[in-house]
Amino acid sequence: MVRGRAPGPGGGVGAGGGLLVVGDVATDVVARHRAPLARGTDTTAGIRLLPGGAGANAACWAARWGCADVRLLARVGTDARAWHEASLRDAGVRACLVVDDEVPTATVISLVDASAERTFLTDGGASVRLSAEDWSPSLLDGVGRLHLSGYLYFSEAGRGAAAAALASARERGVAVSVDPASVAFIEELGVKRFLAEIEGAETLLPNEDEARLLTGLADAGKAAAALSRPARVAVVTLGEAGAVVAEAGEVTARVPPVATHPVDSTGAGDAFTGAYLATRLTGAEPPEAAEEGCRAGATAVTLAGGRPTGPGREER
């Protein structure tokens, strides 16, 4: 059980301050198909239009996991502003959305197969245009933790926004976490460049594939230990195998998985991140927070899309 709060959704928050997420909001087109895709013709699928985005999803899960003060800085187009603002507000997230008049909101097509594995087709839209000009240090007022979505680092403007936010957080002594987000995009940017951009973050939250890419190490525990040296904490999610926690170069915990029946793995990592950060804000140590993250991830894979159930998840 996590100290200072009831475990799981609805738990109270300690005096650790709020959570600010800087990242992305997206409109998700989730297509679940049981048969393999039939190239050049039709494949039957269940299709839903849902609010998404890695940053927004993590924020919603943090609120669902008991954090009473969750804020999100992101950029959206005029096309879906009202829907996304309402969805975030209903989920308990204070949305600080910059409206872009030139490009539409990010859109992600999530193809989910019979094994619940998802493949993304991503149009970054307005989200990749979030920039340093959209940042203000005042956004950190009352904040105990800053979380940066890895998708920020895959555009020049986003890297500027992330750098400005990270610099402000370090000046104020606010802990910063980063979710690397995408193997394909890290490869495109370059591992060395990515690691240089996130220097100064206190916590890294990669999945197993991202951790292997960032370190060149096949073993998840060794990769976590290596990543916890430039940062202070690295928590590597292992999907159905749970998670491994490393601090200051040493593995400190291997967290077992939570049994579940997955239908869609979209947003499982975001759920882990949100619950992990909400729990850390209560004063819990990384292993305890990772246990809560695994619980949230196990819940997420039973749902279509990347958000928790309840208000804030309505289809468009």
Side-chain angles (χ1 to χ4, degrees), residues 20-101:
L20 172 64
V21 178
V22 180
D24 52 317
V25 169
T27 299
D28 283 357
V29 182
V30 181
R32 296 174 56 204
H33 57 98
R34 299 192 63 83
L37 292 175
R39 182 179 173 83
T41 185
D42 294 302
T43 301
T44 299
I47 301 175
R48 301 178 66 185
L49 197 64
L50 295 167
N57 292 345
C60 290
W61 281 101
R64 181 72 178 93
W65 231 252
C67 188
D69 180 8
V70 185
R71 314 169 195 182
L72 172 70
L73 174 64
R75 196 174 182 96
V76 297
T78 57
D79 58 315
R81 171 188 179 181
W83 179 53
H84 282 297
E85 282 184 335
S87 295
L88 291 164
R89 181 179 61 250
D90 291 346
V93 176
R94 191 194 314 177
C96 305
L97 300 183
V98 181
V99 180
D100 194 313
D101 296 326

Side-chain angles (χ1 to χ4, degrees), residues 235-288:
V235 184
V236 178
T237 55
L238 309 175
E240 295 179 353
V244 58
V245 181
E247 302 172 67
E250 299 290 338
V251 172
T252 57
R254 293 184 181 274
V255 181
V258 176
T260 190
H261 298 287
V263 298
D264 179 3
S265 60
T266 303
D270 304 332
F272 182 98
T273 293
Y276 175 90
L277 295 174
T279 306
R280 287 285 279 143
L281 279 167
T282 70
E285 294 298 317
E288 294 177 85

